[in-house]
Amino acid sequence: MEKNTGSETKKMNGGGGFRAKLEHVLYSGEKKHVVAGIAVISVVFGVPWYFMTRGSKQQSHQDYLEKADKARSARLSAGSSSAK
């Protein structure tokens, strides 16, 4: 009977080498792995946030209330003129 080599064992187990490396990176707690994890999470959440806030300028609460009042009065005046 032949003895299995390391590469043949990996093939039979479905390539466990990648999973072992991934688990080592996730659970090692090494400083470089922690920094890399923080960087990945920052990119995953930072890129969508950047694209969502890219075109809009920040409004104060007062600006928002004034805009809402204008829209409300325009809606009410349009409703009262169509009722006549």
Side-chain angles (χ1 to χ4, degrees), residues 18-30 33-34 37:
F18 176 75
R19 184 172 178 175
K21 287 180 184 178
L22 182 64
E23 286 182 359
H24 169 70
V25 170
L26 288 174
Y27 301 117
S28 68
E30 293 181 31
H33 295 156
V34 172

Side-chain angles (χ1 to χ4, degrees), residues 4-80:
N4 285 336
T5 62
S7 63
E8 290 174 352
T9 305
K10 280 185 185 177
K11 287 179 187 175
M12 290 183 351
N13 291 337
F18 176 75
R19 184 172 178 175
K21 287 180 184 178
L22 182 64
E23 286 182 359
H24 169 70
V25 170
L26 288 174
Y27 301 117
S28 68
E30 293 181 31
K31 186 181 272 189
K32 63 182 177 181
H33 295 156
V34 172
V35 170
I38 291 171
V40 167
I41 290 171
S42 299
V43 167
V44 165
F45 287 101
V47 169
W49 175 82
Y50 170 75
F51 284 120
M52 285 174 22
T53 60
R54 181 171 57 164
S56 65
K57 80 172 190 180
Q58 296 294 325
Q59 294 181 343
S60 69
H61 185 63
Q62 188 63 36
D63 293 339
Y64 173 78
L65 290 176
E66 289 172 4
K67 192 174 180 181
D69 285 338
K70 283 181 185 178
R72 187 179 304 110
S73 63
R75 194 171 58 244
L76 291 174
S77 66
S80 65

